[in-house]
Structure formats: C-alpha cells, structure tokens
Amino acid sequence: MKKILAVLLTLAMVLGLAACGGSSAPAATEAPAATQAPAATEAAPAATEAPAATEAPAAAASADDIPDEMTSADGKYQVAFVTDVGQLKDKSFNQGTYDGVKLYAANAGKSYKYYQPAGGDQATDDDRYDAMKLAADNGAEVIVCAGFMQGTALAKAAAEFTDVKFVFIDGWALGMNNVAGICFREEQCGYLAGYAAVMDGYTKLGFCGGGGGTNAACDRYGYGFVQGADAAAAKLGVQVDMNYSWLYGSSFQASNDLQTMAAGWYTNGTEVIFACGGSMFQSIAAAASAEDCAVIGVDVDQSFDSPTVITSAMKGIGEAAQQALKAAETEDSWNAFIGDGSTSITLGAAEGAVGLPTATWSLEGWTVADYEAMLADIVAGTVVIDNADVPEPASTANVTMNIVK
C-alpha cells in the first residue's frame, strides 16, 4: 500500500501537480468546543461552475474537468469532503485536497459532495461536527476532513458514526480504527524552498505564515525555510536577512492589512516572500506584482496563479487523499493502510510526498539536477533537517531574523 502511495506522490511531484494550506497540530492544544452554532450548510454551486452532473462522474485525468457540485441519482453522496477554513477555491490547501477527492470519485464511479462548516473563518468545533454529521446522514461512506482544526469535531463524529471511515489530512492518529491521520514533513520542502531562493541569488527574504504560529505544519514549513536559507548562505558565503511574521495569518485569509505589510517589506528591500497559508497567497502575490518582486508558493504549484512565483514548497495532499479513499474500499486494504489507528501516517521525501515543482522550473542559479541530488540526500539522511514545531526561529550564523509582531 505504501509503495503505491509513493508512486502516486512521486508522479505528482514530477508533474508539478501536488497540493496544501490549513495543517496539523496536536489535539491536546485544541480549545473546548464552542457554544452550539447553526447547522452546517451545504455549499451552493459557484455561478461559474460547470452544470451539475446527474450521476457519478466519468473518469477524468484532471480535477479541472470534474464539477465541484453534482447531484446523485439517489440523493446520497458516497464520498464527502469537509473544508478547512477559507474558500474551497483557495488554489491551495482546500482546493488541492478536494481535487484529489474528485479525481478518486471520478475514477471509482462514486458520488461526492463537499461541505463547508457554518461560521466561515469563525467556525467552531460544533460547526465542523455538524458538517460531518450532515455528510454521514447524506450517505457518506468516507469523509475526508482537511486541516488540524478538525480534530475535536472529527473525534466526536468518528466515535458516533463508527461505520463511516474518516481521512484526517494534516492531522494525527486518534486511536480509532475508522480514522486515518495523515501528516507531512513540511520542514523538508520548506528547506528546499529556502535553499533554492538563496542559491538563485535572493538574500532579502520574508516569511508570512498561516495559523498565527499555532499551526504545526506551517511552523515546520517556516523553520525548514530558515534552515535551507542558512545552508545555502553558508555554501555561497553570503548573509541573509529575513522578515518573519504570523501577524495577519491566523485565519489563512487574504486581507488589506496583509497586503500592506507585504508591500512595505518589498519597498524596504525584501526580494521574495514565502506565502505559507492558503488564501494569504492572494494578498502577498498582489503586493509582489505591484512592487515587481517575487513569491514562493505553498502546498501546490502556485506558478499557475501568478507570474511572481519563483517556486513552491509542495506536499501531496490530493494524492494522499486519493490513496486513503482507495484503501477505504475494503476492510483489508483499510486495515493495512492505518494499522491499529494509533500511529499517524507521516509522509515526506522518502515517500515522494514533498518537494518543489520541476515541470515549471524557472530558477537560474540552481538546476533541477542540483535539486534532485539534494532531494536524494534528504532521503538518504545525508542532509538532516530539524522538524521541531518552532513558531519563531532564532537567527543563525548566516541568517539574521527579524520577527515582526
């Protein structure tokens, strides 16, 4: 099973089609469930979406060929996706994960539906549970939940709907045999992005992270980014300055304040910013475009969304969702996939699950061959990257940190 997963994710890295955004943190730090909120609403189709299908979709090679909304013949939806905070079409974590869900459904001939918890960016644990309950009531056999904030609600829903299988993307093991917790080694692709930027000649870097510093996956992205920049700076004998902030990223949303901060960084000399947090990318890319500067994307290859993107730190979220859904087809394959449910499925370079996009490579100071050699060194353990969840990395010998609060 894991060999199949590795093949899928490696292929995605090569093609530059992988996906990310929300992320993972221990459930122990979650706040208690908020007061009861209105029931989750089923998302209405966007005005520009393709017409709704009337039956399970035909197999498709691209998620773009599959409508986000469909109407099943019997009113039941076998595969469900519960979004993280932010928009479904965030061109990052939510969209990348749902693309995997849609591709699985199309190729398996299953009906599917997505659910957005009520409350938007202020969604509570009750809102998330209500979305999962609605999906189960609508016939879901498997529910894919995106983002670490789903943890408390997912534990409640999985205990109640024991016949439903749950896939917790950017999550952790809950000790239940109907939950697959999948997380990633974000520090590895963050390292590669930081190394690539400095090798390409950038010495004035920025990092804007989502989750306000409480999101372990984004913490790992950022800490890896600093380590990679430090290693490349040491190799080249240069000094790097880095602005680093969680100030406007708690909701993973685009905002005028975030764009203003990014524009200020660019005006004052920052050359490239790692935009690590879903829809935050939109504000940072807008600022970069206005100032003729650069951006590093996250989770998916975001070069398709802005010419300012020089590379992206990617992880195979959509591919992991597809493989988990495939495993859920039989009890034997599911049990082989999750074991006893007590251990998270952790995916990194060794599984082909993290990396930089090579199909859209535009870096001139660091080649694809150099990148692939470093990726092999990470797999081999020759390059060691600290995976601590560090929200505010300290300055190093080659990187001077400016923590912006």
Side-chain angles (χ1 to χ4, degrees):
M1 186 62 64
K2 289 184 178 179
K3 289 182 178 179
I4 297 173
L5 179 59
V7 171
L8 285 173
L9 300 183
T10 302
L11 178 61
M13 292 296 110
V14 171
L15 298 178
L17 297 175
C20 171
S23 299
S24 59
T29 60
E30 287 288 330
T35 54
Q36 185 66 36
T41 56
E42 299 178 22
T48 57
E49 285 297 327
T54 56
E55 57 185 15
S62 170
D64 293 336
D65 298 330
I66 308 168
D68 291 330
E69 290 281 343
M70 69 166 294
T71 301
S72 70
D74 61 359
K76 299 292 184 181
Y77 300 90
Q78 297 160 288
V79 180
F81 174 62
V82 178
T83 69
D84 194 11
V85 293
Q87 308 165 27
L88 176 71
K89 291 295 192 180
D90 61 1
K91 299 181 179 180
S92 187
F93 187 61
N94 278 326
Q95 185 171 344
T97 308
Y98 191 47
D99 281 352
V101 172
K102 290 194 301 180
L103 280 167
Y104 167 79
N107 289 311
K110 293 181 179 290
S111 55
Y112 63 93
K113 193 171 186 66
Y114 75 91
Y115 301 80
Q116 293 182 297
D121 296 337
Q122 305 304 313
T124 66
D125 291 331
D126 286 335
D127 295 329
R128 297 181 183 96
Y129 165 78
D130 288 342
M132 296 174 203
K133 182 179 186 303
L134 184 58
D137 290 344
N138 281 350
E141 300 165 0
V142 190
I143 301 175
V144 178
C145 302
F148 79 100
M149 287 185 284
Q150 308 272 15
T152 299
L154 196 158
K156 178 180 177 181
E160 180 176 347
F161 301 103
T162 56
D163 291 336
V164 177
K165 294 179 174 64
F166 291 81
V167 180
F168 191 6
I169 298 290
D170 259 13
W172 55 91
L174 297 178
M176 300 179 178
N177 60 14
N178 62 333
V179 178
I182 302 175
C183 57
F184 298 83
R185 300 193 185 281
E186 292 88 358
E187 72 280 359
Q188 293 179 340
C189 50
Y191 181 100
L192 290 164
Y195 194 94
V198 175
M199 292 301 292
D200 210 44
Y202 297 98
T203 59
K204 308 294 183 183
L205 311 184
F207 172 86
C208 286
T214 64
N215 181 318
C218 287
D219 287 352
R220 290 192 292 270
Y221 267 130
Y223 190 33
F225 185 63
V226 174
Q227 293 176 73
D230 178 69
K235 181 178 179 65
L236 296 177
V238 299
Q239 189 68 27
V240 169
D241 295 316
M242 186 181 300
N243 287 324
Y244 202 97
S245 183
W246 305 97
L247 188 57
Y248 300 113
S250 59
S251 68
F252 296 95
Q253 290 298 299
S255 72
N256 291 332
D257 288 339
L258 175 60
Q259 184 171 336
T260 298
M261 185 183 78
W265 286 8
Y266 285 131
T267 299
N268 289 313
T270 297
E271 299 162 322
V272 58
I273 297 174
F274 183 11
C276 184
S279 296
M280 293 171 61
F281 171 85
Q282 298 164 15
S283 294
I284 296 170
S289 180
E291 301 295 332
D292 195 25
C293 292
V295 176
I296 294 171
V298 75
D299 295 334
V300 298
D301 181 359
Q302 294 190 303
S303 64
F304 299 103
D305 303 317
S306 172
T308 65
V309 174
I310 60 168
T311 191
S312 300
M314 306 194 309
K315 59 186 184 183
I317 297 176
E319 290 73 25
Q322 288 184 69
Q323 189 57 30
L325 288 165
K326 177 67 176 176
E329 290 178 358
T330 70
E331 289 301 319
D332 286 346
S333 59
W334 178 257
N335 291 335
F337 187 72
I338 71 165
D340 62 3
S342 64
T343 304
S344 299
I345 300 165
T346 304
L347 305 174
E351 293 76 29
V354 300
L356 306 181
T358 57
T360 56
W361 196 269
S362 63
L363 303 174
E364 298 178 356
W366 203 44
T367 68
V368 171
D370 291 335
Y371 156 72
E372 290 175 342
M374 175 166 281
L375 192 62
D377 285 342
I378 293 173
V379 173
T382 306
V383 172
V384 180
I385 305 164
D386 192 342
N387 66 350
D389 301 333
V390 179
E392 295 184 2
S395 295
T396 70
N398 307 289
V399 179
T400 301
M401 300 295 295
N402 175 35
I403 306 297
V404 179
K405 299 183 178 180

